[in-house]
Amino acid sequence: MDTASSTMTSELTVLLRAWPTLKSEEQDLPFLIARINDQKRSFRNVTEQSLEEEIRVLEARTAGEKEQESTDDFEVEEKRIDSKTRKEEVLTARNEILAQIAQAQLETAYALDFVSLLLSKHTPRQAESTISPFLKQQVPLGSLGAEVAQVPQISDSKRVDDDLVSTGWKMQSLDATADSLLRSATRLEKEVEQEARHWEEVLAIQAKGWSVSRLPRERHNLGVRYGFSEAAPEFRDRGLAALRRSEDGGVQLELGSNVSEPRNLRVRIQQRGHTITSSVGSNQVSVGEESSEDSILQARNSLYDEELFHEMYREARNLMNRGVRCTSDAILVPLDECSNIVIDLVPQDEDASTDDTVDGPPEMLSFYRVLPRAFALVSQILLSHAHRQNYNRRTHLPPPLTERKPARPVYWILRPLLGLLQQQAALKTMGTFLETLRIICDNAGLKFTLKIPTSVLGLLTQLDLKESLAIPLVEQLGNLISGPLQANYVVTLPSVSSQLQVHVRTYLMGPEYKVNVTAPSHSPLFNIPHEMLFGSSQEVQDYILHLLMLDLVAMIYAGNKKWKIMSLHEGQLSTDPSVDGQRQLLTLSVKQDMLMLQCRSITKAGEIEEVEVSWSPEFLGKQGLMDEVKTIGTK
């Protein structure tokens, strides 16, 4: 019996498994405290009786839900459930845990005694400190030993093979390390080259005068400021771009997400809906591989043109009374009765299709070809002049503070341009008129000298180069264009002793004309007001024709005493009939395209003879005016 039971005991295998545990974070004391506070609000409300009552309520609710879910089609089977209280379940689980802990401690003690007894043969002192007192009394130390049953034998060839394999692995590892170092060196060399090229381009950009600084929000990156510090805030803030390093090490300009594609200001001349000439391409950089400098210039020119169009559009809304009109994306400036100047923004690759047919003389086409480009350049100069004025206002003492914030002034860009166009048109009209009179007088044998001023470009002669160090030339030019424009014509009348000065002045409300007369005391022009102002070119032309007629009448009277002035302001002279019994009436009229001399003779018999002679730019008479008067006087 004892033998059988000992055999059964020796063959009995016990499997020890750990009790399933919860997650480590769910067993932490902070987690449990937070869970209890969340469920019960406080530890004061948690008691054994309240927990048992809650368990019973929960079980009753669960049983009620199960009964409610059962249908009438199935018979309800009563089941007896041997329910245990929560206290009994907790105690049972506690006893099971303690039993497993005790079993684990026992197994651990057996294992420790086994290892200690095994080591007591070699290190008895160390093993004696860990062996249990019961085993020390029952079994002597060093009675348990262990040895290797069979040592594996390694042949020489196998050892050589293992050494070769080990050496091969080492060489392969060394080769891989060397290759990795070479790749790293190559990559580092390439990185150094790219970094050196990047900094060379950055220094080249800075050496050309561009402002390079750290980005406000990315202090570890550099940026270039290509905008204008005196521009409007919405354009000044856009004038900063990041200098990124490209794949090849060059500088790549990053303008930002709020920057649109590059656009240029386009000025076109339209005549009856057809585009004659255009200024597209005024700010385009050279085609081909763009350098970092070209990219910065392109971005600056595009931003400058956008601000220029924006300011011109603001100003155009205040110039409706002068014929300027605004559409959704263009500005229309009147040029003449059938032509307009159209200003808009277009992409850089915009194709400008033009039509060279112009309704007018050939010289008008050459003028129209130059006008768009000149219009765009002058508008850019005026915007730069406005920036300079902003700088001057900012650097001077500010005005007194007021409750109302001062509004940003509207730049004068279109007003000076309109003044330039009106001044040029007035000079052209006046120059054509005076030149026609000169040709007529030359054909009539009269001396008529004319000193014609230069075109509007003559303003450049008024620049003071000596003051360019104190005031930049661009600012001087802007001041001249923005101010009143004035040109002077000097006319010497055929009598030589009388002279006219015609001043053409244009500022805000169109051209104004002033005529100054210089004449000796014996001339009939001496009694004429020495200075007259006119508001239109037709009025001043009629006045100059009248002065020319008075001068010619005075010449005829001074050259031949036979003639007496009958009506000075009507250009009539007559002879005395008591001398030879014949009366002659001479009438002189001067028009814009003709000089006419009419003579009406009344003989003694009462017969009337009329003679009419005229001179024009296209017609050259048989003889001059004074010769014709002399010939008529001898009849």
Side-chain angles (χ1 to χ4, degrees):
M1 185 67 178
D2 296 336
T3 305
S5 92
S6 62
T7 304
M8 185 179 299
T9 302
S10 62
E11 295 178 356
L12 180 62
T13 302
V14 180
L15 180 62
L16 299 178
R17 293 183 179 178
W19 184 263
T21 60
L22 299 175
K23 296 181 180 179
S24 60
E25 60 271 11
E26 295 181 357
Q27 293 180 352
D28 294 341
L29 183 59
F31 178 83
L32 295 177
I33 293 174
R35 184 175 179 184
I36 293 173
N37 288 332
D38 185 60
Q39 293 180 355
K40 303 300 180 181
R41 301 299 179 185
S42 176
F43 281 93
R44 297 179 180 179
N45 302 327
V46 180
T47 59
E48 185 176 354
Q49 291 78 10
S50 63
L51 292 176
E52 291 177 356
E53 183 64 22
E54 185 176 353
I55 292 172
R56 284 194 294 271
V57 171
L58 182 60
E59 289 176 353
R61 185 182 301 169
T62 304
E65 290 177 356
K66 290 183 179 179
E67 290 179 0
Q68 187 176 1
E69 290 177 357
S70 62
T71 60
D72 297 334
D73 298 336
F74 297 94
E75 296 181 357
V76 180
E77 297 181 359
E78 296 181 358
K79 297 181 181 179
R80 291 185 178 182
I81 301 175
D82 188 12
S83 60
K84 297 180 180 180
T85 62
R86 184 63 179 170
K87 183 177 181 179
E88 293 176 352
E89 292 179 357
V90 172
L91 292 175
T92 303
R94 177 177 176 276
N95 294 333
E96 291 179 358
I97 292 173
L98 292 176
Q100 291 182 3
I101 292 174
Q103 183 67 26
Q105 290 179 350
L106 183 62
E107 294 296 335
T108 303
Y110 288 163
L112 181 60
D113 287 343
F114 175 76
V115 175
S116 299
L117 184 60
L118 182 62
L119 294 177
S120 62
K121 183 177 181 181
H122 304 284
T123 56
R125 290 186 179 180
Q126 295 179 0
E128 186 178 1
S129 62
T130 57
I131 197 170
S132 62
F134 177 76
L135 186 60
K136 188 185 299 184
Q137 295 176 1
Q138 299 296 328
V139 180
L141 299 177
S143 59
L144 183 63
E147 62 181 4
V148 180
Q150 183 178 0
V151 180
Q153 299 293 328
I154 300 176
S155 61
D156 296 339
S157 60
K158 178 66 174 174
R159 187 176 291 105
V160 172
D161 293 341
D162 292 344
D163 293 340
L164 292 175
V165 170
S166 176
T167 304
W169 277 106
K170 290 181 181 178
M171 293 180 63
Q172 186 175 358
S173 300
L174 292 175
D175 291 341
T177 304
D179 294 340
S180 177
L181 291 175
L182 289 176
R183 288 193 301 270
S184 300
T186 303
R187 182 177 59 83
L188 183 60
E189 183 180 2
K190 184 178 179 181
E191 186 74 16
V192 170
E193 293 178 356
Q194 293 177 356
E195 192 72 15
R197 179 184 176 186
H198 174 74
W199 284 106
E200 286 178 0
E201 294 191 7
V202 170
L203 293 177
I205 292 174
Q206 188 177 17
K208 292 180 180 179
W210 298 101
S211 176
V212 178
S213 61
R214 295 181 182 272
L215 296 177
R217 298 184 180 179
E218 301 178 15
R219 304 298 297 175
H220 58 283
N221 288 331
L222 294 178
V224 57
R225 182 168 295 280
Y226 59 88
F228 302 88
S229 58
E230 303 302 331
E234 57 268 25
F235 296 98
R236 182 182 65 243
D237 298 340
R238 288 172 50 189
L240 181 64
L243 297 176
R244 307 292 186 188
R245 199 185 76 175
S246 59
E247 295 181 356
D248 58 350
V251 173
Q252 184 176 0
L253 198 66
E254 184 178 317
L255 301 178
S257 58
N258 60 340
V259 179
S260 59
E261 61 178 355
R263 295 188 294 176
N264 287 337
L265 184 73
R266 180 177 64 177
V267 180
R268 293 176 293 166
I269 305 297
Q270 283 190 352
Q271 190 176 66
R272 295 185 175 89
H274 299 283
T275 300
I276 302 174
T277 55
S278 175
S279 67
V280 168
S282 60
N283 283 340
Q284 293 183 5
V285 296
S286 58
V287 180
E289 184 180 356
E290 294 185 358
S291 62
S292 56
E293 175 74 10
D294 296 335
S295 301
I296 297 174
L297 287 174
Q298 179 178 334
R300 184 201 63 178
N301 295 340
S302 176
L303 183 62
Y304 191 80
D305 282 356
E306 288 184 21
E307 182 189 3
L308 176 59
F309 181 77
H310 174 75
E311 298 298 339
M312 293 174 72
Y313 202 93
R314 289 182 62 212
E315 184 186 11
R317 290 179 294 185
N318 300 329
L319 297 177
M320 298 295 180
N321 57 344
R322 301 185 67 175
V324 181
R325 292 182 291 120
C326 298
T327 61
S328 59
D329 57 353
I331 303 172
L332 280 72
V333 179
L335 185 58
D336 51 38
E337 296 179 356
C338 58
S339 302
N340 291 322
I341 300 177
V342 183
I343 309 169
D344 56 358
L345 281 177
V346 294
Q348 283 193 351
D349 55 353
E350 182 77 12
D351 183 16
S353 57
T354 59
D355 186 5
D356 289 340
T357 59
V358 180
D359 295 342
E363 59 270 12
M364 185 178 294
L365 178 59
S366 61
F367 172 70
Y368 283 170
R369 286 175 178 172
V370 177
L371 181 59
R373 176 64 173 160
F375 196 94
L377 288 177
V378 174
S379 62
Q380 291 172 357
I381 292 174
L382 290 174
L383 179 58
S384 178
H385 180 253
H387 287 172
R388 187 71 182 181
Q389 289 181 332
N390 290 341
Y391 173 77
N392 293 335
R393 283 193 295 267
R394 185 169 57 86
T395 54
H396 285 73
L397 291 176
L401 296 177
T402 58
E403 296 180 357
R404 183 176 300 177
K405 183 179 180 181
R408 188 164 63 90
V410 177
Y411 298 157
W412 278 31
I413 299 177
L414 289 177
R415 288 182 180 88
L417 289 172
L418 289 174
L420 285 172
L421 293 176
Q422 292 176 348
Q423 178 77 354
Q424 183 69 21
L427 292 180
K428 181 180 179 181
T429 302
M430 183 59 62
T432 303
F433 166 73
L434 295 177
E435 182 65 20
T436 303
L437 288 183
R438 187 190 64 79
I439 296 175
I440 293 175
C441 290
D442 288 344
N443 293 339
L446 303 173
K447 186 177 181 181
F448 185 94
T449 59
L450 173 63
K451 183 180 179 181
I452 301 177
T454 57
S455 63
V456 178
L457 296 179
L459 293 172
L460 297 177
T461 60
Q462 303 179 22
L463 297 179
D464 192 353
L465 299 180
K466 296 181 180 179
E467 296 184 359
S468 60
L469 297 178
I471 302 177
L473 291 177
V474 176
E475 186 173 356
Q476 294 185 40
L477 182 59
N479 292 332
L480 288 175
I481 297 175
S482 301
L485 304 175
Q486 186 168 344
N488 301 327
Y489 291 88
V490 180
V491 178
T492 303
L493 297 178
S495 63
V496 181
S497 60
S498 300
Q499 193 178 70
L500 305 180
Q501 290 185 358
V502 183
H503 306 277
V504 183
R505 183 177 184 272
T506 303
Y507 188 40
L508 294 178
M509 303 306 296
E512 299 176 353
Y513 303 90
K514 182 175 68 173
V515 179
N516 292 334
V517 180
T518 303
S521 59
H522 63 272
S523 174
L525 299 182
F526 183 77
N527 298 323
I528 299 295
H530 297 296
E531 182 175 312
M532 291 289 291
L533 297 177
F534 301 93
S536 66
S537 61
Q538 187 61 43
E539 293 177 358
V540 72
Q541 290 176 14
D542 294 341
Y543 184 67
I544 293 174
L545 292 175
H546 185 69
L547 294 179
L548 178 59
M549 182 199 67
L550 296 179
D551 188 75
L552 294 177
V553 170
M555 281 185 61
I556 295 174
Y557 173 74
N560 193 342
K561 298 299 182 180
K562 177 182 178 181
W563 297 100
K564 305 296 181 180
I565 299 177
M566 180 179 179
S567 177
L568 177 63
H569 293 282
E570 293 181 1
Q572 294 181 355
L573 297 92
S574 64
T575 58
D576 188 1
S578 61
V579 177
D580 54 0
Q582 183 180 5
R583 183 179 183 183
Q584 292 178 324
L585 181 62
L586 191 65
T587 303
L588 181 66
S589 61
V590 181
K591 300 181 180 179
Q592 293 184 1
D593 56 350
M594 183 180 298
L595 174 61
M596 182 179 296
L597 181 64
Q598 296 176 343
C599 182
R600 186 177 183 183
S601 302
I602 303 175
T603 61
K604 296 179 180 179
E607 298 179 355
I608 299 176
E609 296 180 0
E610 294 185 356
V611 178
E612 181 177 322
V613 183
S614 62
W615 295 266
S616 66
E618 297 83 11
F619 177 73
L620 181 61
K622 295 182 180 179
Q623 53 186 353
L625 174 64
M626 300 305 295
D627 294 337
E628 287 287 348
V629 172
K630 185 176 181 180
T631 302
I632 293 174
T634 57
K635 291 182 179 180

